């Protein structure tokens, strides 16, 4: 049982490049979400999904796209990287909230845009 | 939209003593969940404790307990018998309980965190 797996762990991009951060979970969780963590800002929600085929925007969605074609995978796409997107990115997953489970987090991806 | 405020950027405590981290939140919802997460230098996010808003009883997990005051919208974390391994960033987080009923949004809203230092 691997939990939530994020790849890559580190990435350096040039301004204007695109890339996809991968996130996979093997716990059959319905809910998944992406966050970015910046110094002094805590974690902020980018996008979330409540099941395959259903996604919605969070607090800071601009510059990011998501899709959820399977229960297991929830990739985050950066369309045209900007230095302001330099951050640590976390993916997380959860059972239905009715069971009051907190989100389980992946180990994060440190992204630097130069 | 909900907001979560942690007013203590940094706290320091002697090993074996007790420390309390503060968290307040603002919401118009009556049903929600509250969490405390720990982030050590490894940056892994670890769930410490959780509380359901409709439960009056404060949650406890070994040395960790909360003081949940719903009317005051306060959710503080008490760590008893502090250990060196407790040193980390601690984040308070809010989750709406309304999405399943067809309203609200999912995901967690975090405070900015409190850096806890344990003095040996």
């Amino acid at each position: 049982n691997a939990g939530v797996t994020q790849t890559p762990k580190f990435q350096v991009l040039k301004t204007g490049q695109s890339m996809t951060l991968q996130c996979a979970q093997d716990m059959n969780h319905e809910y998944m979400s992406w966050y970015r963590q910046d110094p002094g800002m805590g974690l902020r929600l980018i996008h979330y999904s409540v099941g395959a085929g259903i996604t919605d925007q969070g607090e800071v969605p601009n510059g990011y796209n998501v899709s959820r074609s399977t229960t297991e995978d929830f990739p985050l796409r950066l369309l045209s990287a900007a230095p302001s997107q330099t951050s640590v990115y976390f993916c997380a997953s959860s059972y239905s909230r009715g069971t009051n489970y907190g989100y389980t987090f992946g180990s994060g991806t440190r992204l630097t845009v130069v | 939209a909900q907001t979560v405020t942690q007013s203590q950027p940094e706290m320091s405590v002697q090993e074996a003593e007790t420390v309390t981290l503060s968290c307040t939140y603002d919401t118009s919802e009556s049903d929600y969940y509250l969490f405390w997460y720990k982030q050590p230098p490894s940056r892994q996010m670890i769930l410490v404790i959780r509380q359901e808003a409709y439960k009056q009883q404060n949650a406890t997990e070994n040395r960790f307990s909360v003081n949940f005051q719903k009317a005051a919208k306060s959710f503080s974390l008490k760590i008893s018998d502090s250990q060196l391994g407790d040193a980390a960033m601690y984040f308070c987080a809010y989750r709406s309980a309304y999405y399943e009923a067809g309203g609200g949004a999912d995901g967690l809203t975090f405070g900015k965190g409190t850096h806890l230092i344990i003095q040996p």
Side-chain angles (χ1 to χ4, degrees), chain A residues 9-65:
Chain A
K9 294 193 183 305
F10 300 93
Q11 182 71 49
V12 179
L13 283 181
K14 293 183 178 179
T15 297
Q17 286 184 319
S18 63
M19 81 159 294
T20 299
L21 305 184
Q22 301 292 343
C23 176
Q25 52 91 9
D26 60 358
M27 299 173 283
N28 201 31
H29 284 171
E30 301 164 342
Y31 293 76
M32 298 185 75
S33 51
W34 276 101
Y35 303 82
R36 60 177 290 171
Q37 183 177 22
D38 302 298
M41 295 295 293
L43 283 78
R44 292 181 291 169
L45 179 66
I46 304 172
H47 286 284
Y48 66 92
S49 169
V50 298
I54 307 171
T55 64
D56 207 345
Q57 296 180 350
E59 179 186 355
V60 289
N62 292 342
Y64 308 94
N65 272 0

Side-chain angles (χ1 to χ4, degrees), chain B residues 8-117:
Chain B
Q8 306 153 317
E10 186 171 279
M11 293 281 286
S12 182
V13 64
Q14 291 290 126
E15 193 177 2
E17 293 188 344
T18 295
V19 64
T20 298
L21 308 184
S22 300
C23 172
T24 59
Y25 57 94
D26 188 29
T27 183
S28 59
E29 298 175 336
S30 59
D31 196 13
Y32 47 86
Y33 305 110
L34 296 167
F35 306 92
W36 280 97
Y37 280 88
K38 171 185 178 181
Q39 186 181 44
S42 66
R43 89 179 176 212
Q44 181 67 47
M45 294 291 288
I46 302 165
L47 177 62
V48 174
I49 198 166
R50 56 192 170 214
Q51 176 79 41
E52 299 167 67
Y54 63 87
K55 285 190 175 179
Q56 300 284 355
Q57 187 174 5
N58 289 326
T60 62
E61 289 286 345
N62 300 314
R63 297 182 295 107
F64 299 86
S65 62
V66 298
N67 183 6
F68 173 50
Q69 302 289 330
K70 190 173 184 180
K73 296 180 182 176
S74 172
F75 183 62
S76 61
L77 175 69
K78 185 171 82 171
I79 305 174
S80 303
D81 186 25
S82 298
Q83 300 176 359
L84 294 177
D86 295 334
M89 284 293 293
Y90 285 82
F91 293 97
C92 179
Y94 174 104
R95 186 180 190 185
S96 171
Y98 281 99
Y99 191 90
E100 288 177 327
D106 199 59
L108 296 171
T109 300
F110 283 90
K112 294 185 178 181
T114 296
H115 181 211
L116 179 62
I117 298 168

